[in-house]
Amino acid sequence: MGEAQLGRGTKRGVVMTTAAKASRLPYRHAWRWCLALIALTIVAFWPGYLSRIGGEKVTSHFHAITATAWMLLLAAQSWSIDRGERTRHRSVGLAIFALVPLFFVGGAGVEHSMAVATGSGQDPFYNIWGPSLGIYDLVASLGFVALTTMALRDRRRVARHAAWLLATPLLLIGPVLSRVYPRLIPGLIMHGPQDFGLFRWGIHLGGLTAIAIALWLWSRHRVDGGPWLAVVAINLVQLILFETLGFFPAWKIAFVTFGGIALGWHAIGAVAVAAAALWWGWQAGLVKHVQPTRAIV
């Protein structure tokens, strides 16, 4: 065999090995679902936000931008690893250290806006649902930081690392579908303040859909499927607290008090909490406790 033939054979072997490895990667083509969720979000938030974007608050814009950036990061990471571009995957993945704190700040900003609206007593929707949405979103924001932190800790375990990250969109599906279902299901359409009580059913249907998706994914990836059960637990806690703690007078007082604190302090606190959590996750992931064959190299 000549050197040229040997070279071609070696190259083919490398290509075949790379393709074989790629075929064994979990959650292939997940980037398509990330982009699909972005499209669904546009549909969901068009009537109440995007169609009148010029009159919305800066906190809403910041939250929308950071949430979209996070979904695009997940899509880019999934796409790059599908193509075997591990160097790019690692480099782009470092954006997690900026996007997670920014996303958490965006969540705190929305919480602050809702708390202010609840405290004013002038908004009939937030008079009913402000405190409940406050605890619902707070659990989601804390859950998001927890999931991304665990993704950093398990970054050397491919399947679990991917599951932790891909579980984060299931915290967004509930709020998205809570705005889609009422437009599709007869009896849930809100025509005015007299129908605001129907809002709870959209929240529950959205959350239950997210739970169903997570359980389905867990059933297909049980070995490293802990993240899917974790996101099931987060969604359940959200729905339970939405209907319980959300109506406690003491929680409403605390929530309104939250709105009385300057937004800047909330932003500083959110950055500090997210940064501390990510730092812990990164340090914990330095421990070489997994087999080299399961590491991202």
Side-chain angles (χ1 to χ4, degrees):
M1 180 182 294
E3 291 184 6
Q5 290 178 314
L6 179 62
R8 287 195 295 271
T10 302
K11 289 180 181 178
R12 282 198 297 270
V14 171
V15 171
M16 291 176 65
T17 301
T18 301
K21 287 182 178 179
S23 67
R24 295 196 298 270
L25 288 173
Y27 312 111
R28 284 183 56 76
H29 309 305
W31 57 272
R32 297 176 181 175
W33 296 103
C34 293
L35 296 179
L37 181 55
I38 293 176
L40 182 60
T41 301
I42 293 172
V43 173
F45 286 90
W46 179 262
Y49 172 64
L50 292 172
S51 63
R52 53 184 187 185
I53 194 169
E56 293 295 318
K57 298 178 181 178
V58 173
T59 52
S60 297
H61 299 329
F62 190 82
H63 179 60
I65 291 170
T66 54
T68 303
W70 175 254
M71 292 303 302
L72 289 174
L73 175 63
L74 289 185
Q77 288 296 83
S78 171
W79 180 82
S80 63
I81 205 66
D82 277 359
R83 292 172 57 87
E85 298 181 3
R86 296 177 181 272
T87 300
R88 177 176 296 180
H89 180 84
R90 290 196 301 267
S91 299
V92 174
L94 294 176
I96 191 174
F97 289 103
L99 279 183
V100 170
L102 290 175
F103 185 96
F104 201 34
V105 169
V110 171
E111 287 271 325
H112 186 269
S113 296
M114 292 193 299
V116 171
T118 301
S120 71
Q122 302 300 311
D123 190 312
F125 179 81
Y126 286 110
N127 286 343
I128 301 173
W129 298 115
S132 292
L133 278 174
I135 192 64
Y136 181 92
D137 285 356
L138 177 61
V139 172
S141 293
L142 292 173
F144 172 80
V145 173
L147 293 175
T148 51
T149 296
M150 295 302 289
L152 281 180
R153 191 200 69 170
D154 290 337
R155 63 189 181 274
R156 297 176 183 277
R157 302 179 63 177
V158 176
R160 184 160 296 202
H161 170 75
W164 284 121
L165 289 176
L166 293 174
T168 58
L170 294 181
L171 298 178
L172 302 176
I173 283 180
V176 169
L177 292 180
S178 71
R179 290 160 173 81
V180 173
Y181 282 143
R183 286 148 56 184
L184 301 176
I185 301 176
L188 295 185
I189 300 174
M190 293 183 289
H191 298 284
Q194 71 277 7
D195 299 321
F196 284 164
L198 298 172
F199 177 75
R200 63 159 37 97
W201 304 116
I203 286 287
H204 288 301
L205 287 173
L208 290 174
T209 301
I211 289 170
I213 294 172
L215 289 175
W216 177 74
L217 287 166
W218 171 77
S219 73
R220 294 174 59 86
H221 305 277
R222 295 194 183 191
V223 174
D224 288 292
W228 303 117
L229 296 181
V231 82
V232 165
I234 293 170
N235 274 278
L236 282 174
V237 170
Q238 284 183 278
L239 297 179
I240 292 170
L241 293 183
F242 178 84
E243 290 287 2
T244 55
L245 183 61
F247 290 98
F248 284 15
W251 166 247
K252 181 176 182 179
I253 292 172
F255 185 56
V256 171
T257 302
F258 175 89
I261 301 173
L263 183 57
W265 288 112
H266 292 305
I268 292 172
V271 169
V273 170
L278 293 176
W279 179 251
W280 177 87
W282 181 263
Q283 291 298 315
L286 293 175
V287 179
K288 307 296 190 297
H289 62 280
V290 296
Q291 296 297 323
T293 55
R294 303 186 70 186
I296 298 179
V297 295

